[in-house]
Amino acid sequence: MTITIVKSAPYLAVQDLGRRGYRDVGVPASGAMDPVGLAAANVTAGNSLGAAALEWALGGGSIRFDAPCSFALAGATADALLDGAPVETGVRSLANDGSVLEIGGFPTGRFLYIGIAGGIEAPEVLGSRATYLPAHLGGWAGRLLKSGDVLPIGKHRDDAPRREFRAPADLGLDYSQRTIRVVRGPQWDLFSDGDREIFLGETYSVDAISDRTGYRLKGLPLATEIGSMPSEAVCPGTIQVPPNGLPIVLMADAPTVGGYAKIAVVASSDLPLLAQLRPGEGFRFQEVPVEEAQRRRRRMAASLYTIQTLAVVQGHGEFLAEPWPSS
Amino acid sequence: MSWGNPTAHALGDSAITVSFTVESTKEVTARIRAIGAAIRASRIAHAEEVIAAYTALTVFYDSLHVSYEQMSAEILTKCGEASGTEPATEGREHRIPVEYRGPDLDSVAKATGMAPSEVVEAHSAVWYTVDLLGFVPGFAFMSEIDPRLELPRREQPRPRVPAGSVAIARKQTGIYPFDTPGGWHILGRTKVTLFDPNREEPSLFRAGDRVKFEPTA
């Protein structure tokens, strides 16, 4: 079983939940920008939540299924047509041999996930199939997908789960939420009271110059001059404040270490929401204790497991115990 | 009290950074590296990865199964236990052949008031220590360079620095493992592969290793 990229998009790549275990030699977590979207696409399609899927951003294109199979869309909403008929997000759809899935505009969000029953069988590199472009690691030859690429799809336990399945609307994630929860960062105390007030009161938006490494924020700059400090570990969600005072939120492909002060870190339950924000969409940060961020993380993992279990019970999903990875 | 008066901070919901109240020196970095190694070796349940840096170390953990409170208490205890042990003898030694014909060799010579040959001599005379890896996989921050060579980063970073470029900035030197943007001054180039995911140990360098550059004709 394979799929063919008929017409690629400016950004289309194979992603999973990222790499673990090599941070000490500088290998970032990478993986899906919205890991909950990827997991939702997978479990709805009948996979375990960390299977390799397509991450799609920035505009239209199409893929062809070279055998009958099931798939599901999640994350951003997209105008999607399967052989001309509209495809709903969060619902298992059945493709026939030769079916073409066309992706058009994105009414909401930034990253669309296409989970395909069986998962994309790209080779694992350092324990993951995630594409990390700066070092050409993983994914499909370490690069973005091109028109004409043919990707192998793994053999699903049931060959292809043919029964319909609709994921519950509540994934524990509300993409319309415009409050992003953060935990105080290691250098929170170095910022002035005034700066902390600005940080938690300002309506920020994501700058257009943002990518998988980091989202630059637009808004009122912070004034505290901390300068650079000895580098130490950072992770996706870390909010660094460079000398110009405008925070940068590190995202999936962020380096493993950084030398700017870290005012806060986005809760992993809310990082997918931030990842899906488009330039100009306003949001605010809300400080929560680390215990609450951890509670929300556990709740989110539990709801994904519930969907995975439902998918098994209602439609021949594949149940594999698989850990929800760290940030 | 433990060495360096360690304090724990949450780095989000799944990592803990322990900061030590110390000035960054070679000895301090070596000691924090040793504490990091001890934490790694102690195999704390649900602790996943350790990054030892200059004045802090960070532990990534599985927060679905252990709370911040419990994990930070365990890590601080280990920091206390490990702080008495002397840093282990430093890591492996690497000799890296370099063709010193980098695009910034002349500008570095000019800025430092040295001849290009003196720059090469100064850069290749020292055994450097790998302090930390990061920026991209396999990029080693090494210190310390001859004080005469200390320069701020280039004002205009290059959008693409070729893989293998040997470069300096401030007190450090490093080698670019991949074609990436970069703001360091490029002195030369090596053919050595710094990171290869197919090797048993993908990164040529580990923190604590010692590196010397050898000019090739």
Side-chain angles (χ1 to χ4, degrees):
Chain A
M1 160 73 197
T2 56
I3 60 165
T4 302
I5 309 300
V6 179
K7 183 174 176 290
S8 191
Y11 173 86
L12 175 59
V14 176
Q15 294 293 356
D16 63 12
L17 295 175
R19 287 190 173 80
R20 302 292 175 276
Y22 297 92
R23 288 183 210 253
D24 62 338
V25 289
V27 181
S30 64
M33 286 288 276
D34 170 1
V36 175
L38 177 127
N42 271 324
V43 295
T44 308
N47 291 334
S48 57
L49 48 82
L54 295 177
E55 183 177 76
W56 191 310
L58 301 170
S62 55
I63 63 173
R64 188 179 61 235
F65 298 90
D66 302 321
C69 91
S70 305
F71 69 95
L73 310 182
T77 56
D79 297 323
L81 298 173
L82 182 69
D83 298 328
V87 180
E88 261 185 277
T89 296
V91 176
R92 183 180 298 168
S93 303
L94 310 175
N96 295 314
D97 183 0
S99 284
V100 173
L101 175 66
E102 277 177 88
I103 304 296
F106 287 23
T108 64
R110 211 162 160 160
F111 293 95
L112 168 74
Y113 296 90
I114 307 176
I116 299 161
I120 297 167
E121 289 254 289
E124 277 199 8
V125 177
L126 303 178
S128 164
R129 298 183 165 99
T131 309
Y132 173 63
L133 293 172
H136 324 294
L137 284 185
W140 198 242
R143 61 165 170 80
L144 297 175
L145 295 172
K146 295 191 282 208
S147 303
D149 282 343
V150 178
L151 308 181
I153 302 299
K155 192 163 167 54
H156 196 273
R157 197 189 54 175
D158 296 320
D159 237 347
R162 302 291 302 177
R163 225 178 304 167
E164 290 206 2
F165 173 69
R166 179 175 290 266
D170 180 20
L171 291 173
L173 194 66
D174 173 7
Y175 283 113
S176 66
Q177 183 187 313
R178 290 290 177 267
T179 305
I180 303 295
R181 294 176 188 86
V182 297
V183 173
R184 290 180 181 190
Q187 284 81 41
W188 169 268
D189 290 342
L190 299 184
F191 289 87
S192 68
D193 291 348
D195 270 356
R196 293 183 214 158
E197 263 172 49
I198 292 173
F199 180 73
L200 296 173
E202 177 72 352
T203 299
Y204 287 107
S205 64
V206 177
D207 195 296
I209 314 167
S210 293
D211 56 21
R212 284 183 48 92
T213 303
Y215 279 10
R216 292 165 188 275
L217 303 188
K218 283 169 95 165
L220 212 55
L222 306 183
T224 312
E225 283 181 30
I226 294 176
S228 71
M229 36 174 282
S231 287
E232 55 188 49
V234 294
C235 59
T238 301
I239 306 175
Q240 292 190 324
V241 182
N244 72 7
L246 287 173
I248 297 173
V249 187
L250 298 180
M251 303 303 284
D253 282 349
T256 51
V257 298
Y260 293 129
K262 301 172 280 296
I263 190 170
V265 182
V266 177
S268 57
S269 61
D270 287 16
L271 193 57
L273 304 175
L274 185 70
Q276 293 288 9
L277 290 178
R278 298 172 171 201
E281 289 178 337
F283 68 94
R284 284 187 188 191
F285 290 119
Q286 180 198 352
E287 189 211 337
V288 297
V290 62
E291 291 76 15
E292 185 183 337
Q294 295 192 326
R295 259 198 310 280
R296 289 184 176 277
R297 178 180 177 79
R298 289 181 199 123
R299 201 180 303 158
M300 176 163 286
S303 68
L304 283 165
Y305 283 119
T306 305
I307 299 169
Q308 188 169 293
T309 310
L310 282 175
V312 173
V313 174
Q314 298 179 6
H316 310 292
E318 188 170 63
F319 189 83
L320 293 171
E322 187 175 347
W324 184 244
S326 307
S327 58
Chain B
M1 190 170 57
S2 298
W3 172 84
N5 189 25
T7 49
H9 309 268
L11 181 69
D13 49 44
S14 302
I16 291 171
T17 292
V18 176
S19 306
F20 296 85
T21 319
V22 283
E23 286 294 309
S24 173
T25 65
K26 221 174 146 176
E27 292 70 31
V28 160
T29 309
R31 193 174 273 265
I32 291 176
R33 194 154 56 232
I35 296 172
I39 290 175
R40 218 175 268 133
S42 70
R43 301 189 176 278
I44 300 172
H46 308 300
E48 293 173 339
E49 298 189 61
V50 180
I51 297 184
Y54 295 96
T55 58
L57 65 84
T58 299
V59 179
F60 291 83
Y61 64 101
D62 178 2
S63 59
L64 294 182
H65 295 104
V66 62
S67 70
Y68 170 76
E69 199 185 351
Q70 190 186 337
M71 186 52 84
S72 56
E74 283 194 56
I75 293 166
L76 287 176
T77 303
K78 294 286 179 223
C79 286
E81 287 170 8
S83 66
T85 55
E86 280 308 302
T89 8
E90 290 297 340
R92 306 162 304 182
E93 291 188 347
H94 307 267
R95 290 172 190 271
I96 305 294
V98 178
E99 192 183 354
Y100 279 99
R101 282 193 205 159
D104 299 327
L105 184 57
D106 289 340
S107 63
V108 168
K110 204 177 244 175
T112 57
M114 299 161 78
S117 61
E118 292 174 310
V119 171
V120 172
E121 207 175 303
H123 186 257
S124 58
V126 184
W127 277 98
Y128 300 102
T129 304
V130 174
D131 294 328
L132 184 66
L133 290 103
F135 170 54
V136 287
F139 184 96
F141 294 89
M142 299 182 243
S143 63
E144 291 184 332
I145 63 172
D146 185 318
R148 291 176 298 164
L149 296 177
E150 282 180 30
L151 292 171
R153 292 156 53 102
R154 286 166 52 87
E155 269 177 37
Q156 284 297 328
R158 291 187 169 88
R160 182 182 165 276
V161 172
S165 294
V166 176
I168 57 170
R170 294 189 223 150
K171 293 177 189 299
Q172 293 182 307
T173 186
I175 312 171
Y176 287 85
F178 301 98
D179 293 356
T180 53
W184 290 22
H185 307 270
I186 305 169
L187 300 184
R189 193 160 179 184
T190 181
K191 289 179 180 152
V192 172
T193 301
L194 294 148
F195 190 90
D196 176 355
N198 299 316
R199 287 196 298 231
E200 194 182 326
E201 198 172 326
S203 176
L204 180 66
F205 299 138
R206 264 186 243 158
D209 282 359
R210 285 153 44 77
V211 179
K212 194 166 186 295
F213 296 105
E214 306 202 315
T216 57

